[in-house]
Amino acid sequence: MATSTMPPAQTSSDSVEVKKVAIHWFRHGLRIHDNPALLETVEEGWELYPVFIFDGEVAGTRTAGYNRMRFLIESLRDLDETFNNYGGRLYVFTGDLMNILGNLIKEWNVSRLSFDADVEAIWHKRDQDVRRLCSELDVEVVERVSHVLWDPKDILENNGGKPPLTYSLFNQVARAVGDPPKTVDDPDFSKVTFKVKSNHDKLFGIPDVETLGVFPECEQQNQRHNNWVGGETRALQLLSQRMQVEKMAFSVGMVMPNQTFPNVSGPPLSMSAHLRFGCLSIRKLYWVLRNAFEKSHPGKGFSNSAIGQLLWREYFYTMSVNNINYDKMEENPICLNIPWYNDQEKLKKWENGETGFPWIDAIMKQLKHEGWIHHVCRHATSTFLTRGDLWLNWVDGLKVFTKYLLDADWSVCAGNWMWMSSSAFEKVLQCPKCFCPVRYGRKMDPDGVYIRRYLPVLKDMPLRYLFEPWKAPKSVQEKANCIIGVDYPLPMVEHGKASKQCYNMMMEVKNKLLATGKEMELCGPANTEEVAQFVWMPGNHAGTCHQGEEEANPSMLCDGLMGM
């Protein structure tokens, strides 16, 4: 890793022709495959310097905890190894972005800067500043969109300059725009020139997580049950494994089998984190799914149900593209201002997995220890924090998720928290129901494997009492070596009472809103069927409840691409 030392300036003494020099600037899009900006430079045979710059913000590093930062470092190391196989290396720097880029352009005599476009609003100013710098230094900018299926500008342009306010309308507009671009070829690095110094690792190598000032919070973060590994290599392996499952499902008339049979305690097979960092191309995933579906259903046409989660991801990206306050409640035009409680003690108990509800606490322990939780787990814990039990601000929950979740990106994560808290993405509080932290846990973890794994203090508690151990007789608690209120906390709220209070407060918010007579342009699904395409809603929907009754909850949406 380097902060100010520059690589060697190229010379013309080695050849008669002086090659043009290009930097490919990695931010997201940490891959070689389907990277159109990289491919364009490689095909022209320029001298190439792959660069990554730790500026305190890139790829969400400002909020990243230990697991997220480790995943990023693993992804960079995988990228560096790939370049090394072709005779190059990844150059890594730390410091002020504009100073480093400006110095590199002058020192290397750079003619082109290429990068994969970051379409989210939080990156707009940074990239505008970089374009301005390149203009001043007479450097060509090659910026291509491949982190999303469609360029959000095209969606907005085809919708009268505004984002489509319903998922159904989004799909209509997307159809009018046309199919997403096909993936581009893998680059042929034999056409480019790399220059690498013998002491590259010392000067420009990838830092350790601790060198970046991020340290593990607990021993479990280095002793994970599920070991998530970053990088393009692992992403493509996961894709191959995933497609075996998808093809089998397509052959028997099913789609999204991960939604139908959620496995909360299963192995690390999700590709959501690799999509978030761009180790896996979203377009590659889309087209391999689509091609496999059409091969299994010849002549029947393509059904969006096979790629529903990818379309919801696109929808959230489009909704956030020009909204710099998208991750906030105040001054966010699509978000209701709900008078949430401010209770830091309750917030900390939730974050640390000390609520007294084993299903919720096991989820939060896995989140902190491993950096990933299944989408049904996200449903449960986010609803518990907000409109289900604690009535705390979704923004506080978002901050916890963006610290720990490997796959938490700016658009999708904030969008789902707004929906889970009934703050946006639904038709004005039409679904203020909540998940029961006991019944839903029993449904998702019927044998108690998940809870016993992440809450070892309850490992000897009989299954009968595992999801509500405060009901266990004292003799049972003693035999299980877990006294409730001593070894494991009592429930911080009475769910039935708390959920009823939250419901009443939601109705009060709704009634006040309706009394204003104002038309609220809140985005959301067109109907419950659309939500069911994205949310796990099997059979009779057992496992959710409202005021003590088990009911379906059509406003439950997963965060990121949990099932993918």
Side-chain angles (χ1 to χ4, degrees), residues 256 285-286 289-290 302-312:
M256 294 200 298
L285 177 58
Y286 173 92
L289 282 168
R290 177 165 171 170
F302 180 61
S303 171
N304 279 350
S305 61
I307 42 88
Q309 287 181 309
L310 305 190
L311 295 178
W312 279 106

Side-chain angles (χ1 to χ4, degrees), residues 10-21 45 47 193 195:
Q10 74 271 6
T11 66
S12 58
S13 58
D14 296 331
S15 63
V16 176
E17 180 184 357
V18 177
K19 284 183 174 288
K20 292 184 178 181
V21 179
E47 186 172 298
T193 300
K195 290 192 174 181

Side-chain angles (χ1 to χ4, degrees), residues 308-562:
Q309 287 181 309
L310 305 190
L311 295 178
W312 279 106
R313 177 184 188 266
E314 291 292 306
Y315 178 45
F316 280 129
Y317 267 97
T318 302
M319 290 307 305
S320 72
V321 68
N322 290 324
N323 183 359
I324 194 63
N325 294 314
Y326 185 78
D327 62 341
K328 302 176 180 63
M329 182 173 73
E330 293 81 6
E331 301 182 20
N332 183 348
I334 68 169
C335 182
L336 288 176
N337 270 269
I338 296 176
W340 305 106
Y341 293 151
N342 181 10
D343 191 322
Q344 294 301 307
E345 182 179 353
K346 286 185 177 180
L347 176 65
K348 187 56 65 175
K349 286 184 178 180
W350 172 82
E351 178 179 349
N352 291 333
E354 298 171 352
T355 69
F357 290 94
W359 169 236
I360 301 300
D361 291 343
I363 292 170
M364 297 307 294
K365 294 294 188 183
Q366 185 189 23
L367 172 63
K368 179 174 286 190
H369 296 171
E370 298 177 3
W372 191 88
I373 49 178
H374 196 283
H375 72 274
V376 297
C377 298
R378 304 180 196 210
H379 296 171
T381 193
S382 55
T383 308
F384 183 89
L385 179 74
T386 56
R387 58 183 173 82
D389 291 83
L390 301 185
W391 197 254
L392 298 182
N393 197 330
W394 65 269
V395 176
D396 293 326
L398 172 64
K399 291 176 181 176
V400 173
F401 271 33
T402 54
K403 178 180 180 181
Y404 293 114
L405 268 182
L406 300 176
D407 58 23
D409 64 5
W410 189 75
S411 295
V412 183
C413 198
N416 285 310
W417 270 101
M418 280 188 271
W419 193 336
M420 296 303 299
S421 63
S422 287
S423 297
F425 297 105
E426 64 170 33
K427 294 182 178 179
V428 192
L429 306 177
Q430 86 277 30
C431 263
K433 303 177 180 69
C434 70
F435 285 108
C436 174
V438 175
R439 289 191 182 96
Y440 195 47
R442 284 200 177 108
K443 176 69 177 179
M444 295 296 104
D445 186 27
D447 298 321
V449 173
Y450 183 80
I451 287 180
R452 297 185 199 281
R453 175 186 299 168
Y454 295 105
L455 292 177
V457 67
L458 293 172
K459 63 182 179 64
D460 296 322
M461 187 66 66
L463 185 61
R464 176 182 177 182
Y465 299 108
L466 185 61
F467 296 88
E468 40 190 350
W470 59 90
K471 291 185 177 181
K474 192 65 174 291
S475 59
V476 173
Q477 296 180 33
E478 291 174 345
K479 187 176 180 179
N481 298 309
C482 181
I483 305 301
I484 306 305
V486 178
D487 303 303
Y488 181 74
L490 287 162
M492 60 189 299
V493 294
E494 182 183 336
H495 172 68
K497 181 179 179 180
S499 63
K500 185 173 183 178
Q501 290 174 340
C502 289
Y503 171 82
N504 291 336
M505 287 186 285
M506 273 295 176
M507 291 302 97
E508 185 178 346
V509 171
K510 180 177 181 178
N511 292 335
K512 286 182 178 179
L513 179 63
L514 295 176
T516 66
K518 296 180 179 179
E519 186 73 20
M520 293 295 294
E521 287 194 339
L522 291 178
C523 43
N527 50 56
T528 56
E529 183 180 352
E530 286 183 358
V531 183
Q533 293 174 1
F534 198 97
V535 185
W536 185 74
M537 296 176 64
N540 62 4
H541 315 301
T544 64
C545 76
H546 171 56
Q547 297 189 38
E549 299 179 358
E550 292 188 356
E551 303 180 17
N553 188 345
S555 71
M556 295 295 99
L557 180 64
C558 69
D559 182 72
L561 289 177
M562 268 36 67

Side-chain angles (χ1 to χ4, degrees), residues 53-110:
I53 302 171
F54 283 101
D55 62 353
E57 296 285 343
V58 64
T61 49
R62 179 175 59 84
T63 61
Y66 186 74
N67 281 317
R68 282 188 69 197
M69 192 67 82
R70 172 170 52 193
F71 192 93
L72 171 58
I73 295 297
E74 290 169 346
S75 300
L76 294 176
R77 288 174 177 164
D78 184 73
L79 192 61
D80 180 50
E81 184 175 345
T82 298
F83 278 112
N84 189 36
N85 291 336
Y86 290 103
R89 296 295 299 273
L90 179 67
Y91 287 81
V92 177
F93 300 88
T94 299
D96 181 80
L97 171 67
M98 300 303 290
N99 287 338
I100 290 174
L101 275 180
N103 289 335
L104 290 178
I105 289 170
K106 296 172 185 176
E107 186 74 17
W108 291 343
N109 194 25
V110 171

Side-chain angles (χ1 to χ4, degrees), residues 197-233:
K197 294 190 69 173
S198 59
N199 58 348
H200 178 93
D201 287 335
K202 180 179 180 180
L203 294 176
F204 317 113
I206 301 168
D208 294 328
V209 179
E210 291 82 359
T211 304
L212 295 168
V214 182
F215 301 91
E217 297 181 32
C218 55
E219 63 180 15
Q220 290 89 347
Q221 289 184 338
N222 279 321
Q223 299 175 3
R224 296 169 290 174
H225 181 86
N226 288 314
N227 186 27
W228 297 88
V229 178
E232 180 180 22
T233 300

Side-chain angles (χ1 to χ4, degrees), residues 17-37:
E17 180 184 357
V18 177
K19 284 183 174 288
K20 292 184 178 181
V21 179
I23 290 175
H24 184 80
W25 176 29
F26 285 97
R27 304 98 62 87
H28 296 103
L30 303 178
R31 65 180 184 275
I32 300 302
H33 76 275
D34 190 35
N35 194 325

